[in-house]
Amino acid sequence: MEEAYDIGFDDYIDSGNLCFIEWPELIEELLPEDAIRVEIEETDNGSRIVRF
């Protein structure tokens, strides 16, 4: 959490631009309620499954 604040997380989220976050579960409580979660899973054959 402290690292998120140190890099200016609030500035990114409040910028009005899209913000993509890898490993959002580490800062779940900082994310806005209207955040959209996208999960990408690789299958055994190398293709991807994208979930919103």
Side-chain angles (χ1 to χ4, degrees):
M1 291 297 210
E2 189 173 322
E3 271 186 67
Y5 287 118
D6 288 346
I7 65 164
F9 179 80
D10 291 331
D11 294 332
Y12 287 109
I13 292 298
D14 295 335
S15 72
N17 296 308
L18 294 175
C19 183
F20 297 89
I21 302 171
E22 186 175 11
W23 308 110
E25 59 273 7
L26 298 177
I27 56 167
E28 193 81 38
E29 57 264 23
L30 299 179
L31 298 176
E33 288 184 24
D34 62 347
I36 298 171
R37 173 169 285 217
V38 178
E39 296 180 14
I40 303 170
E41 177 185 341
E42 184 177 3
T43 64
D44 291 336
N45 68 6
S47 64
R48 306 287 192 278
I49 298 172
V50 179
R51 294 184 191 93
F52 297 90

